[in-house]
Amino acid sequence: MLVVYRPHRGKKMLAHKAWLEKMAMQRQLNLQWYATCGCFDEDVAQVKLLLMHHQQVTVLGGDGTLNMVVNALFDGEQVSQSASDKRMAILPCGTGNDFARSFGYSLAQWRSAVFSECSRQVDVGCVAQHYFINMAGIGFNAEVVESMAGEKRFGAMSYTFFGIAKLLTYGGMDVKIDGVKQSVMMCLFANGRHFAAGLTPTPSAALDSGALQMLVIPVCSLPKRLLSFALMLVGLHTRLPWVKVSSGQCFEISSQGAKIEADGELIAVTPARVTTHAALLRLNVPNSFDIA
């Protein structure tokens, strides 16, 4: 089994690492460890090489580490059958863990899933030949990610601090999506339900629906945007008349120069096509008796 982790991630990562080493010894299983270096392209290349010798990769980390591993698993041009047959397990220990939140599993259930024989197929998004596992977007969220510049000194609260600052000052942008021009504050393309360490922008999204949900919050007054994000904490913002949600398998962004964020990292600029690959990723889940 290949184990990918981001070093120096604190107590949760160290606890997962110690537990995994203990379980591997009990099961007489050899583990190959890979500590990420922080350079996306180099990490993808190294993990891709290591995956040639393993059928399962276990990820100790959050959305960013998952994103990197998914891009190592699948080629941007063509997905091979051998890659789609490989399995992934997750031990969440990142800053936001937004993808993992969609499952609602306990710590014991995530650990059970590592050695489980059960799995489920989940969708994976793709934008500009870059895969994403949870969410991509343009506008407000991309501006927040850019302003953070990888700095998460305050853990999950970092999203809150930087987000509030941008919420008060960001003026929005004009974009053209699927031929329709609009002024938006934020546009998300969601595979999962959560982002920014716990907000729920797309409460009805499903990881195995075969489609992405597009959430659009238009340029609006400060009271309206504050209300939108307050209700996003509990997933009720979609009831607001100015918030629009639609579903699709492909979206074309034809505007020029808008920064694109995916799973918490800036990855490209528009124009770009956003698509979904249905049931691409084989993810370990707990045995049925562990879920009850």
Side-chain angles (χ1 to χ4, degrees), residues 113-184:
V114 173
F115 299 103
S116 173
E117 295 300 318
C118 298
S119 64
R120 69 180 276 193
Q121 301 294 131
V122 300
D123 305 337
V124 175
C126 186
V127 55
Q129 298 185 357
H130 184 114
Y131 288 97
F132 63 93
I133 195 167
N134 187 57
M135 208 165 291
I138 57 176
F140 169 80
N141 51 307
E143 293 292 324
V144 171
V145 168
E146 183 178 43
S147 65
M148 290 176 67
E151 178 61 53
K152 299 177 183 177
R153 183 182 308 172
F154 304 105
M157 289 300 294
S158 299
Y159 294 104
T160 303
F161 296 146
F162 284 93
I164 289 174
K166 284 294 178 183
L167 192 62
L168 297 175
T169 60
Y170 181 59
M173 63 190 305
D174 294 328
V175 296
K176 190 175 183 180
I177 303 174
D178 292 339
V180 178
K181 292 182 179 180
Q182 49 193 313
S183 295
V184 305

Side-chain angles (χ1 to χ4, degrees), residues 10-284:
K11 294 181 180 179
K12 285 185 179 181
M13 190 280 291
L14 294 175
H16 283 320
K17 191 171 185 291
W19 174 84
L20 196 53
E21 289 173 337
K22 178 181 177 180
M23 295 302 296
M25 184 176 297
Q26 291 178 2
R27 294 168 177 264
Q28 297 183 330
L29 178 69
N30 291 324
L31 302 177
Q32 182 168 10
W33 296 85
Y34 177 77
T36 62
C37 68
C39 173
F40 183 84
D41 291 337
E42 182 176 341
D43 283 331
V44 166
Q46 291 298 320
V47 171
K48 183 179 289 188
L49 287 174
L50 294 173
L51 281 167
M52 295 175 63
H53 308 289
H54 299 277
Q55 282 301 112
Q56 178 175 319
V57 55
T58 298
V59 181
L60 279 66
D63 298 320
T65 309
L66 288 171
N67 181 291
M68 182 275 294
V69 173
V70 165
N71 278 276
L73 273 168
F74 307 118
D75 184 271
E77 297 289 341
Q78 183 177 3
V79 179
S80 68
Q81 184 62 43
S82 60
S84 60
D85 285 342
K86 294 184 184 294
R87 298 164 66 122
M88 175 190 285
I90 306 172
L91 290 173
C93 53
T95 304
N97 300 315
D98 288 308
F99 177 77
R101 288 174 192 266
S102 292
F103 296 87
Y105 291 161
S106 66
L107 170 62
Q109 288 170 335
W110 280 118
R111 288 184 172 181
S112 170
V114 173
F115 299 103
S116 173
E117 295 300 318
C118 298
S119 64
R120 69 180 276 193
Q121 301 294 131
V122 300
D123 305 337
V124 175
C126 186
V127 55
Q129 298 185 357
H130 184 114
Y131 288 97
F132 63 93
I133 195 167
N134 187 57
M135 208 165 291
I138 57 176
F140 169 80
N141 51 307
E143 293 292 324
V144 171
V145 168
E146 183 178 43
S147 65
M148 290 176 67
E151 178 61 53
K152 299 177 183 177
R153 183 182 308 172
F154 304 105
M157 289 300 294
S158 299
Y159 294 104
T160 303
F161 296 146
F162 284 93
I164 289 174
K166 284 294 178 183
L167 192 62
L168 297 175
T169 60
Y170 181 59
M173 63 190 305
D174 294 328
V175 296
K176 190 175 183 180
I177 303 174
D178 292 339
V180 178
K181 292 182 179 180
Q182 49 193 313
S183 295
V184 305
M185 178 187 168
M186 179 173 73
C187 181
L188 294 176
F189 303 93
N191 189 37
R193 296 195 298 270
H194 307 285
F195 90 143
L199 291 176
T200 309
T202 47
S204 61
L207 295 167
D208 55 1
S209 67
L212 298 171
Q213 284 199 355
M214 181 174 72
L215 171 85
V216 175
I217 298 180
V219 173
C220 55
S221 65
L222 181 58
K224 282 186 174 182
R225 67 173 66 180
L226 289 174
L227 180 60
S228 298
F229 277 81
L231 292 179
M232 199 181 293
L233 288 167
V234 290
L236 296 178
H237 60 294
T238 55
R239 300 181 183 182
L240 298 171
W242 58 86
V243 176
K244 305 300 181 184
V245 181
S246 59
S247 297
Q249 296 177 323
C250 180
F251 301 90
E252 292 279 355
I253 311 173
S254 53
S255 308
Q256 297 283 335
K259 294 179 285 289
I260 305 172
E261 171 266 334
D263 295 335
E265 302 290 339
L266 291 177
I267 55 95
V269 295
T270 60
R273 173 180 293 179
V274 186
T275 59
T276 185
H277 292 262
L280 182 62
L281 177 65
R282 191 177 176 195
L283 183 70
N284 277 23

